[in-house]
């Protein structure tokens, strides 16, 4: 698969830095870190608590 355009890494870096600054400002203003974590996470809230590994023995090499 061929990518038609190169990714604009500098623009992405600027956007990420702005997002981190906004998060830091929100934390400094007293917002709950758990709220930020939920907004920034790609996983549902209980993903790791309720997750099941169907092939666990194979995954851990047993």
């Amino acid at each position: 698969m061929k990518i038609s355009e190169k990714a604009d890494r500098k623009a992405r870096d600027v956007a990420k830095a702005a997002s981190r600054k906004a998060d830091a400002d929100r934390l400094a203003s007293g917002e709950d870190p758990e709220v930020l974590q939920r907004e920034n996470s790609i996983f549902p809230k209980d993903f790791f608590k309720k997750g099941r590994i169907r092939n666990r023995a194979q995954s851990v090499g047993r």
Side-chain angles (χ1 to χ4, degrees), residues 21-41:
K21 171 89 169 85
D23 286 350
D25 291 344
R26 287 173 63 185
L27 288 171
S29 70
E31 185 148 359
D32 184 15
E34 188 65 29
V35 172
L36 284 174
Q37 176 62 35
R38 289 288 5 114
E39 289 176 5
N40 293 332
S41 179

Side-chain angles (χ1 to χ4, degrees), residues 9-60:
R9 292 179 187 233
K10 289 182 182 180
R12 177 68 179 135
D13 289 344
V14 169
K16 286 175 76 173
S19 178
R20 289 186 184 118
K21 171 89 169 85
D23 286 350
D25 291 344
R26 287 173 63 185
L27 288 171
S29 70
E31 185 148 359
D32 184 15
E34 188 65 29
V35 172
L36 284 174
Q37 176 62 35
R38 289 288 5 114
E39 289 176 5
N40 293 332
S41 179
I42 62 170
F43 297 107
K45 185 175 182 177
D46 293 331
F47 179 81
F48 294 103
K49 290 180 183 177
K50 294 181 179 178
R52 294 179 186 230
I53 302 172
R54 297 186 194 276
N55 61 345
R56 186 179 358 197
Q58 181 182 4
S59 297
V60 296

